[in-house]
Amino acid sequence: DAKTTQPTSMDCAEGRAANLPCNHSTISGNEYVYWYRQIHSQGPQYIIHGLKNNETNEMASLIITEDRKSSTLILPHATLRDTAVYYCIVGTSGSRLTFGEGTQLTVNP
Amino acid sequence: EAGVAQSPRYKIIEKRQSVAFWCNPISGHATLYWYQQILGQGPKLLIQFQNNGVVDDSQLPKDRFSAERLKGVDSTLKIQPAKLEDSAVYLCASSLGTWSSYNEQFFGPGTRLTVL
């Protein structure tokens, strides 16, 4: 599976958009980009995934660059409850999820 | 819909003792996963079951760790004997699908193991 690179930490003001970047320059054509988050003392929670096209659901939007070498997870209106570690994972459909260390997002009041 | 259940939530043991963790996945989920999460790191897959068969245990330390899912529903992960480096949170997850299709994984709250 391709490796991902994420910033260790980010801060965001409450109510503003949080944009979390992820680099995956070695991604293969059949590999998806998945995002999970883990709130302190809880198990990870699925957010969104995509292959080529941008995706949006009730939690977030996923923007994948045309060359698929990077992506951005967007939380449009961050709240304090969005403070968590966000994991960007690349893999084929059905493959194991290989978690890195993720990005610690802190939403400040 | 009930989530993934795990017990116990916390466990403290001394090294060389044995310990077992229990997981009950979401009803109807065919795939069950056990992850180990060491403090400050992301979860690492230990073993994946499809119904009651193992599909991936390549990262399971088989000299001391074992897992079973006898009736294709709940599962038990055992460590015997425990080492200090086994101190971690053990997460169970489940998903609907088969090996060949992606399905969202739903995680339980985890069991925090401390080995003294």
Side-chain angles (χ1 to χ4, degrees), chain A residues 5-11 20-22 84-87 100-106, chain B residues 40:
Chain A
T5 303
Q6 299 178 252
T8 302
S9 63
M10 295 183 64
D11 284 279
L20 291 92
C22 180
V85 177
Y86 287 77
Y87 297 100
E101 296 185 355
T103 296
Q104 171 66 59
L105 174 69
T106 303

Side-chain angles (χ1 to χ4, degrees), chain B residues 51-64:
Chain B
N51 296 309
N52 60 351
V54 175
V55 294
D56 185 351
D57 64 356
S58 57
Q59 300 190 104
L60 185 74
K62 298 179 185 65
D63 58 335
R64 298 184 301 106

Side-chain angles (χ1 to χ4, degrees), chain B residues 6 10 12 18-20 24 27 52-53 57-58 67 74 84 86 89 93 96 99 103-105 107 112:
Chain B
Q6 291 188 248
Y10 305 91
I12 301 174
S18 61
V19 64
N24 190 283
S27 178
N52 60 351
D57 64 356
S58 57
D74 56 356
L84 296 177
D86 298 331
V89 175
L96 268 172
W99 173 247
N103 277 277
E104 174 185 349
Q105 292 187 27
F107 285 79
R112 182 176 298 278

Side-chain angles (χ1 to χ4, degrees), chain A residues 3-99:
Chain A
K3 182 178 168 55
T4 63
T5 303
Q6 299 178 252
T8 302
S9 63
M10 295 183 64
D11 284 279
C12 176
E14 189 177 20
R16 304 297 294 269
N19 298 287
L20 291 92
C22 180
N23 286 322
H24 31 79
S25 58
T26 61
I27 192 170
S28 301
N30 62 344
E31 288 184 311
Y32 289 77
V33 180
Y34 306 108
W35 284 84
Y36 278 73
R37 73 178 182 184
Q38 188 171 23
I39 295 169
H40 184 62
S41 296
Q42 297 183 21
Q45 175 193 25
Y46 167 84
I47 302 173
I48 198 166
H49 76 282
L51 184 62
K52 295 181 186 177
N53 301 320
N54 299 336
E55 302 287 344
T56 296
N57 62 20
E58 65 278 5
M59 288 183 68
S61 295
L62 173 60
I63 309 298
I64 303 174
T65 57
E66 193 168 342
D67 63 7
R68 303 210 321 125
K69 293 185 177 181
S70 66
S71 60
T72 302
L73 179 75
I74 300 172
L75 308 178
H77 305 287
T79 70
L80 299 179
R81 288 189 300 271
D82 292 321
T83 292
V85 177
Y86 287 77
Y87 297 100
C88 170
I89 303 163
V90 169
T92 56
S93 175
S95 67
R96 71 165 71 144
L97 295 178
T98 301
F99 290 81

